[in-house]
Amino acid sequence: MAADNASSVTEFILAGLTDEPELQMPLFFLFLGFYMVTVVGNLGLITLIGLNSHLHIPMYFFLFNLSFIDVSYSTTLTPKMLMGFVAKRNIISYAGCMTQFFFFCFFVFSESYILSAMAYDRYVAICKPLLYTVTMSPQVCSLLLLGVYGMGVFGAVAHMGNIMFITFCADNFVNHYMCDIIPLLELSCNSSYINLLVVFIVVTIGIGVPIVTIFISYGFILSSILHISSTEGRSKAFSTCSSHIIVVSLFFGSGAFMYLKPPSILPLDQGKVSSIFYTAVVPMFNPLIYSLRNKDVKVALKKTLVRKFFV
């Protein structure tokens, strides 16, 4: 079936973000700026964590991987989106479309689960501080990370399996700026409610399970914080979690808005705007949120800059 698909449709035309000619160049420079900030910010955070030994703890181990995931899936999508703003016809080959879709699914699922692993890390740090070193040992962190990328593979393979069993007909115009599951299903001749049900189930596993994990973790964290007698202790505990809560709200809010509503409630053009948040805005804001609101990162940045200056 996959071979038939490839022979009947050899390329797709991406609609892009907008068809208004006067908006193309302003949007090109806007998203080029977003992408540059994303790459510099996330690679900077990766470098900073790698160079400073006092950041070699579980919290920053997961933050290191979050930055890697962010820069990777932004690179999977943004360059092609930028080409769409300047090209007369934004064409992507069938193989290119499927490759982009696979890596997009892999990194988005990985991000969902790395955020839940970070919530669990905060839960252990605040609720069980005396057992933190034992509970979040290097072996446990490695297993959690293996689970994160394992779920990334699951999400990508499940969505790809869903796509491989549908047939694309003459229409190859994808009403999106990237290859995503909903607009691709709209082009198929033989997709049914089963395909949409599979999408809903897979996305629920990708978004629902991490959200439940995060809510449970923060329920225990809030309970522990309320039992802290000193105002300073409460303030420190809240500040430790605030960056993570902002990132989680942005990422899962926009993702759920796009995928967990029926198409009749959320038209695809509005879905594109929602997609922008978790594909372009969230990866750009993550390093800014974690660096501007994190004392350890700011101290590490100062030390690194001073070290470089004196060298």
Side-chain angles (χ1 to χ4, degrees), residues 84-121:
F85 291 128
V86 294
K88 288 185 179 179
R89 292 178 79 223
N90 190 13
I91 296 171
I92 186 169
S93 68
Y94 177 87
C97 185
M98 293 301 113
T99 302
Q100 185 192 62
F101 179 59
F102 179 88
F103 283 106
F104 165 65
C105 293
F106 172 76
F107 288 119
V108 167
F109 264 69
S110 298
E111 173 125 355
S112 295
Y113 280 87
I114 198 83
L115 288 172
S116 63
M118 292 171 81
Y120 176 70
D121 171 69

Side-chain angles (χ1 to χ4, degrees), residues 158-178:
H159 275 315
M160 281 297 291
N162 198 10
I163 285 289
M164 298 305 268
F165 285 101
I166 63 173
T167 304
F168 296 107
C169 303
D171 187 13
N172 65 342
F173 185 77
V174 180
N175 186 19
H176 214 306
Y177 60 84
M178 63 179 183

Side-chain angles (χ1 to χ4, degrees), residues 199-278:
V199 171
F200 186 81
I201 291 169
V202 174
V203 171
T204 301
I205 294 169
I207 292 178
V209 174
I211 283 179
V212 169
T213 305
I214 290 164
F215 267 106
I216 291 171
S217 297
Y218 276 107
F220 284 118
I221 288 169
L222 187 61
S223 176
S224 292
I225 289 173
L226 293 175
H227 285 91
I228 297 173
S229 54
S230 69
T231 310
E232 187 184 345
R234 285 186 187 180
S235 175
K236 187 178 179 182
F238 270 122
S239 67
T240 306
C241 301
S242 58
S243 300
H244 186 253
I245 292 170
I246 293 168
V247 170
V248 164
S249 302
L250 282 171
F251 180 76
F252 285 112
S254 56
F257 190 73
M258 173 66 187
Y259 293 104
L260 296 181
K261 281 191 175 183
S264 57
I265 295 176
L266 180 67
L268 200 53
D269 286 341
Q270 290 180 30
K272 288 184 195 178
V273 178
S274 178
S275 298
I276 287 294
F277 275 95
Y278 70 88

Side-chain angles (χ1 to χ4, degrees), residues 11-14 25 28 64 74 126 145-146 166 177 180-181 195 208 242 245 255 260 262 272 277 282 295 302 304:
E11 63 184 23
F12 294 100
I13 300 168
L14 297 174
M25 289 315 292
F28 172 82
F64 180 99
S74 184
I126 291 170
L145 193 64
L146 189 64
I166 63 173
Y177 60 84
D180 199 3
I181 187 76
N195 297 100
S242 58
I245 292 170
L260 296 181
K272 288 184 195 178
F277 275 95
V282 172
K295 187 179 176 182
K302 285 177 185 175
T304 305

Side-chain angles (χ1 to χ4, degrees), residues 278-296:
Y278 70 88
T279 59
V281 177
V282 172
M284 177 183 70
F285 274 128
N286 280 358
L288 297 176
I289 291 167
Y290 277 105
S291 57
L292 296 175
R293 297 182 61 85
N294 190 299
K295 187 179 176 182
D296 290 338

Side-chain angles (χ1 to χ4, degrees), residues 45 48 55 60 63 290-291 294-301:
L45 200 53
L48 206 60
L55 297 182
Y60 296 104
L63 185 54
Y290 277 105
S291 57
N294 190 299
K295 187 179 176 182
D296 290 338
V297 172
K298 285 192 275 190
V299 168
L301 181 60

Side-chain angles (χ1 to χ4, degrees), residues 177-190:
Y177 60 84
M178 63 179 183
C179 291
D180 199 3
I181 187 76
I182 302 297
L184 286 174
L185 285 177
E186 287 188 347
L187 294 183
S188 70
C189 312
N190 63 340

